[in-house]
């Protein structure tokens, strides 16, 4: 039997993508790791309780099942914790960080529709008394947020049946809302999670698996697997690297940055001059600040970016990090 620590490393490393869409997924993983189902479930429960794993389940592609935006405020340092606490009270806020910049409070708002997102931003501005900069996603070049652990035997993500080509527009999200609401916070850590979800929704286990597979093949689910918290797993430094790129060059640079191993996120957002001149965002995570700075220097040199204005916004503290809740549980048809 593989030693427990090795099993833990493989769980964290190999199953961030390609989580098995079979009736007993944890037994499937246990068989691959030469252990038993109970060991896998107990490890995942432990990792969850320790904060290293946020959940086991889907990560949705932005703006496919709801709306979201990145927002920023400039808050006096002595009021920052108080204001961050007020922002955190909104259930639609799922990430909230202090960053090294005049705009020092950065948070994500996600909701079922754009009107709700706008309403939340207005309420935050009114409640805190500070202007909110709204920076919605315009185009994505790379959004993954999988974190490689130091395990040599990293396997390729599980390959799913691609014989049924499914377009995002082929999915009736109205019919899928109840399922999305049931899985957005993660799958149950039980032997037959899809059966348990089906029991809750009044549909079969196979129907749950098929619908999740359809959402994944349509690109609505970005990835299905173990969702880790990077800080707790040793990635203790991260920087938002923002660029002021000529509009006719942003696609080319976005694709180049997104292809680099060190870049975990890369996307275009609007400039809001004069307060915010940057239109290309990229994220770099590392074990420490020096590693992140070294990665950035390598990127600038490798891609010959010395002539592109940029700023580095290191994260200072995390006020909130959880999965987005796009849809409330209700009796919507499925």
């Amino acid at each position: 039997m593989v030693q427990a620590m090795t099993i833990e490393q493989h769980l964290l490393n190999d199953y961030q993508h390609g989580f098995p869409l079979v009736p007993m997924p944890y037994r499937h993983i246990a068989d691959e790791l030469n252990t038993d189902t109970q060991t896998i479930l107990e490890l995942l429960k432990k990792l969850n309780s320790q904060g290293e794993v946020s959940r086991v389940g889907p990560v949705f592609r932005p703006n496919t099942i709801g709306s979201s935006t990145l927002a920023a405020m400039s808050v006096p340092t002595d009021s920052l914790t108080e204001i961050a606490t007020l922002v955190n009270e909104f259930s639609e806020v799922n990430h909230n960080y202090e960053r090294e910049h005049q705009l020092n409070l950065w948070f994500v708002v996600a909701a079922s529709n754009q009107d709700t997102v706008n309403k939340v931003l207005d309420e935050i501005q009114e409640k805190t008394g500070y202007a909110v900069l709204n920076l919605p996603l315009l185009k994505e070049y790379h959004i993954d947020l999988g974190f490689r652990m130091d395990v040599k035997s990293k396997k390729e993500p599980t390959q799913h049946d691609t014989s049924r080509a499914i377009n995002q527009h082929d999915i009736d999200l109205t019919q899928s809302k109840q399922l999305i609401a049931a899985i957005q916070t993660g799958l149950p850590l039980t032997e037959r999670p899809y059966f348990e979800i089906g029991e809750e929704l009044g549909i079969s286990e196979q129907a749950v698996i098929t619908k999740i597979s359809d959402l994944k093949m349509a690109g609505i689910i970005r990835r299905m697997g173990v969702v880790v918290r990077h800080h707790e797993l040793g990635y203790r430094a991260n920087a938002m690297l923002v660029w002021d790129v000529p509009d006719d060059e942003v696609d080319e640079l976005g694709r180049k940055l997104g292809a680099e191993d060190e870049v975990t996120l890369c996307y275009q957002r609007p400039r809001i001059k004069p307060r915010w001149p940057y239109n290309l965002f990229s994220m770099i995570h590392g074990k420490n600040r020096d590693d992140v700075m070294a990665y950035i220097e390598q990127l600038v040199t490798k891609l010959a970016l010395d002539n592109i204005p940029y700023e580095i916004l290191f994260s200072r503290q995390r006020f909130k990090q959880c999965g987005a809740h796009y849809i409330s549980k209700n009796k919507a048809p499925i």
Side-chain angles (χ1 to χ4, degrees):
M1 182 175 289
V2 183
Q3 294 299 311
M5 182 56 69
T6 303
I7 294 171
E8 181 174 313
Q9 288 175 329
H10 278 284
L11 275 175
L12 293 170
N13 191 72
D14 297 352
Y15 296 96
Q16 294 183 38
H17 300 78
F19 190 79
L21 290 174
V22 295
M24 302 182 74
Y26 303 111
R27 187 175 73 177
H28 182 93
I29 293 171
D31 289 344
E32 290 189 338
L33 298 182
N34 193 29
T35 186
D36 58 86
T37 305
Q38 197 58 36
T39 296
I40 297 299
L41 289 171
E42 288 176 359
L43 273 173
L44 286 171
K45 289 174 183 177
K46 183 195 77 169
L47 292 166
N48 181 261
S49 67
Q50 293 174 173
E52 296 175 36
V53 167
S54 170
R55 65 191 183 280
V56 178
V59 174
F60 292 98
R61 183 177 179 179
N63 299 326
T64 55
I65 61 170
S67 296
S68 63
T69 195
L70 178 67
M73 295 194 299
S74 180
V75 181
T77 303
D78 57 359
S79 301
L80 189 62
T81 300
E82 176 189 359
I83 297 302
T85 301
L86 290 175
V87 171
N88 286 352
E89 290 177 357
F90 289 83
S91 61
E92 294 86 357
V93 172
N94 63 304
H95 285 65
N96 191 7
Y97 280 80
E98 178 190 7
R99 296 196 176 277
E100 296 177 357
H101 193 268
Q102 182 182 2
L103 287 162
N104 55 348
L105 192 64
W106 291 79
F107 54 95
V108 175
V109 175
S112 59
N113 56 70
Q114 189 59 49
D115 287 344
T116 301
V117 170
N118 293 339
K119 181 181 177 182
V120 169
L121 293 177
D122 289 343
E123 289 179 2
I124 288 174
Q125 185 165 285
E126 181 179 354
K127 188 173 183 179
T128 63
Y130 294 99
V132 174
L133 201 67
N134 181 12
L135 298 164
L137 179 77
L138 298 180
K139 185 179 291 188
E140 62 176 86
Y141 303 105
H142 177 66
I143 299 179
D144 182 34
L145 268 184
F147 292 91
R148 291 173 302 197
M149 304 296 106
D150 294 328
V151 178
K152 293 180 181 179
S153 57
K154 184 177 186 294
K155 75 176 183 69
E156 293 299 316
T158 301
Q159 298 298 314
H160 298 293
D161 176 21
T162 57
S163 61
R164 295 179 300 125
I166 297 179
N167 187 282
Q168 180 181 325
H169 301 293
D170 295 331
I171 301 293
D172 186 344
L173 288 178
T174 300
Q175 296 294 318
S176 300
K177 280 186 175 181
Q178 196 176 357
L179 174 64
I180 291 169
I183 66 174
Q184 66 186 348
T185 57
L187 302 178
L189 293 177
T190 57
E191 289 194 15
R192 295 178 66 179
Y194 306 121
F195 175 83
E196 189 170 313
I197 292 166
E199 286 280 284
E200 177 186 345
L201 301 180
I203 60 175
S204 71
E205 179 180 56
Q206 187 55 49
V208 172
I209 292 171
T210 299
K211 287 175 180 291
I212 292 174
S213 178
D214 288 350
L215 289 169
K216 191 172 186 298
M217 284 193 288
I220 294 169
I221 291 179
R222 165 77 62 190
R223 65 181 173 95
M224 187 82 178
V226 178
V227 181
V228 303
R229 286 195 171 99
H230 56 83
H231 187 273
E232 282 76 5
L233 291 175
Y235 290 84
R236 300 191 178 277
N238 73 81
M240 189 167 69
L241 182 59
V242 293
W243 310 82
D244 179 8
V245 185
D247 291 338
D248 60 352
E249 298 176 18
V250 68
D251 282 346
E252 180 182 3
L253 181 54
R255 286 191 291 267
K256 287 181 178 178
L257 283 171
E260 294 296 318
D261 286 343
E262 296 82 5
V263 175
T264 52
L265 301 170
C266 188
Y267 37 69
Q268 181 185 8
R269 296 186 185 274
R271 295 184 178 91
I272 302 181
K273 291 185 175 181
R275 200 174 184 196
W276 187 255
Y278 305 105
N279 61 340
L280 186 62
F281 289 61
S282 50
M283 286 294 303
I284 312 289
H285 290 76
K287 300 290 186 179
N288 55 59
R289 189 183 184 102
D290 288 343
D291 282 352
V292 173
M293 288 302 299
Y295 294 152
I296 293 172
E297 290 173 8
Q298 291 168 15
L299 283 174
V300 170
T301 300
K302 179 180 179 179
L303 301 180
L305 301 177
D306 304 80
N307 62 331
I308 303 292
Y310 67 89
E311 281 196 72
I312 304 169
L313 285 70
F314 271 96
S315 172
R316 280 186 174 153
Q317 58 181 316
R318 178 180 63 193
F319 294 111
K320 189 175 186 180
Q321 181 189 358
C322 63
H325 289 198
Y326 292 101
I327 299 172
S328 299
K329 289 189 177 183
N330 53 42
K331 299 299 181 180
I334 191 164

